[in-house]
C-alpha cells in the first residue's frame, strides 16, 4: 500500500488516526456519479455475503463533497470491520505513527 503524503486524507478509524489515499474520493466527486462501496465477507458454510452502500446524495460544492464521500466510506468500512473483525487483514503498518 503506497501512500503519497501529499495525496492522502487522515481520519479517526476504529479509535485511532489512519491515512487513506484521497484519489478515489477526488475521482468520485469530480465524476458526480453515484458511488458504491462494496465489501465481501465469508459466512458459515462456505457462503459469501456481499455488502453494498450506494452514495447518491453528493454535495455539489467543491471540497465538501469529496470530504463527505470520504466520511461515508470511513463509516461504512468501520461498520463492516466491527461486524467481521477476523476478516480484515493488513500486512503493513496501518495506523499513523505516533512518534
Amino acid at each position: 500500500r503506497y501512500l503519497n503524503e501529499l495525496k492522502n486524507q487522515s481520519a479517526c478509524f476504529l479509535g485511532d488516526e489512519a491515512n487513506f489515499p484521497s484519489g478515489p474520493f477526488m475521482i468520485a466527486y469530480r465524476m458526480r456519479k453515484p458511488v458504491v462501496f462494496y465489501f465481501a465477507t465469508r459466512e458459515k458454510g462456505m457462503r459469501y455475503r456481499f455488502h453494498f452502500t450506494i452514495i447518491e446524495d453528493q454535495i455539489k460544492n467543491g471540497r465538501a463533497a469529496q470530504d463527505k464521500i470520504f466520511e461515508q466510506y470511513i463509516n461504512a468500512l468501520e461498520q463492516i470491520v466491527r461486524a467481521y473483525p477476523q476478516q480484515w487483514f493488513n500486512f503493513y503498518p496501518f495506523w499513523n505513527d505516533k512518534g
Side-chain angles (χ1 to χ4, degrees):
R1 171 180 145 160
Y2 171 75
L3 288 175
N4 180 329
E5 290 182 22
L6 301 175
K7 296 180 181 180
N8 67 33
Q9 290 179 261
S10 185
C12 183
F13 178 70
L14 297 175
D16 209 344
E17 206 65 25
N19 285 330
F20 295 84
S22 60
F25 309 103
M26 179 186 65
I27 292 168
Y29 158 69
R30 288 189 178 168
M31 297 301 292
R32 298 188 195 278
K33 300 290 182 190
V35 175
V36 179
F37 305 142
Y38 158 73
F39 307 97
T41 56
R42 186 170 165 186
E43 304 287 333
K44 291 181 180 177
M46 297 287 292
R47 301 182 84 150
Y48 290 86
R49 179 173 299 216
F50 301 97
H51 309 262
F52 297 91
T53 302
I54 301 171
I55 308 299
E56 296 186 60
D57 59 339
Q58 297 163 11
I59 305 165
K60 303 289 186 207
N61 59 352
R63 177 70 185 197
Q66 183 176 331
D67 292 342
K68 183 71 173 173
I69 296 165
F70 176 66
E71 178 184 313
Q72 291 172 314
Y73 171 74
I74 297 300
N75 290 337
L77 182 59
E78 273 191 337
Q79 191 173 23
I80 290 295
V81 172
R82 287 184 193 283
Y84 300 90
Q86 300 295 322
Q87 296 186 38
W88 189 59
F89 303 97
N90 282 297
F91 300 100
Y92 49 84
F94 186 80
W95 279 270
N96 297 351
D97 187 9
K98 293 189 179 189

